[in-house]
Amino acid sequence: AGKVVLDAGCGNGTLSVGVSDFGCEVLAVDVSDSVTRAHAYAQRKNNQRVHFVQGDLTNLPVKPESVDFVFSSGVLHHNPNTLDALKVVARALKPGGKIYIWLYHPEPGLKFWLQLRLRSIIAPLPGPLKRAFVHTWVVQAMARQHLRTALGLNDAYDRLTWHERTVDLMDIYT
């Protein structure tokens, strides 16, 4: 309570709103227009402690040494230079502040290799083309999920809604 937290790459804002339940102020930054929907989500929750800003983590619109905590979950490696993004985000911390960073890790196997290749093709495309790809891909992903469910072969992660699967695929491929 009473602390300032930077959510570096807030996405849909769900985690930002959840963190603010501890009584802190949260500055939630994301490069995408997801901050607009995230802000609407926070407003529906009547949350006044989360402040959404559309901004680039490598050119962070935050004063140095201005936040008590930084967290960035599954985001920094999506920047052209992960280390540069980390350095910029870390400068926002007050002396003695805490930082939590989580990055994706490579997974062995053909599936991960194919995802990397597809991402290298899809990520540079204009936004509408990226979304078209993902919306096409989500149809078959949901069909496979329903088949695995019918066969009793899936776990909790494999029971996503259409929207959740779309967000997941956007993250994987863009």
Side-chain angles (χ1 to χ4, degrees):
K3 301 291 184 179
V4 177
V5 176
L6 170 63
D7 181 354
C10 66
N12 67 14
T14 304
L15 191 56
S16 307
V17 170
V19 167
S20 74
D21 288 342
F22 290 101
C24 55
E25 294 287 317
V26 177
L27 177 59
V29 179
D30 203 282
V31 72
S32 76
D33 62 1
S34 66
V35 293
T36 304
R37 291 182 304 280
H39 180 262
Y41 170 74
Q43 293 300 304
R44 285 192 308 275
K45 296 281 190 182
N46 198 27
N47 185 308
Q48 304 300 314
R49 290 185 309 275
V50 182
H51 313 282
F52 293 96
V53 175
Q54 186 171 7
D56 181 353
L57 295 181
T58 59
N59 189 21
L60 195 61
V62 176
K63 289 182 181 180
E65 299 183 2
S66 60
V67 302
D68 300 290
F69 296 94
V70 170
F71 71 88
S72 182
S73 184
V75 174
L76 292 181
H77 55 275
H78 291 297
N79 287 275
N81 187 312
T82 304
L83 183 58
D84 286 348
L86 174 61
K87 287 177 182 177
V88 172
V89 168
R91 281 196 291 265
L93 274 175
K94 291 179 181 176
K98 305 282 186 210
I99 188 166
Y100 168 83
I101 304 293
W102 179 76
L103 303 173
Y104 295 174
H105 58 87
E107 298 175 18
L110 181 61
K111 180 181 175 184
F112 186 74
W113 183 85
L114 286 171
Q115 286 175 338
L116 286 177
R117 296 294 103 31
L118 282 171
R119 183 183 306 138
S120 71
I121 294 166
I122 297 165
L125 297 173
L129 285 176
K130 285 190 244 194
R131 285 188 289 281
F133 171 82
V134 168
H135 287 290
T136 301
W137 197 256
V138 78
V139 173
Q140 64 79 31
M142 289 302 288
R144 289 185 297 117
Q145 176 181 304
H146 288 300
L147 177 61
R148 288 188 300 274
T149 299
L151 298 172
L153 299 175
N154 62 6
D155 57 21
Y157 170 76
D158 200 23
R159 295 187 194 110
L160 301 178
T161 66
W162 188 277
H163 177 73
E164 291 166 336
R165 181 64 68 190
T166 302
V167 169
D168 184 53
L169 290 172
M170 284 294 286
D171 186 50
I172 291 169
Y173 293 110
T174 68

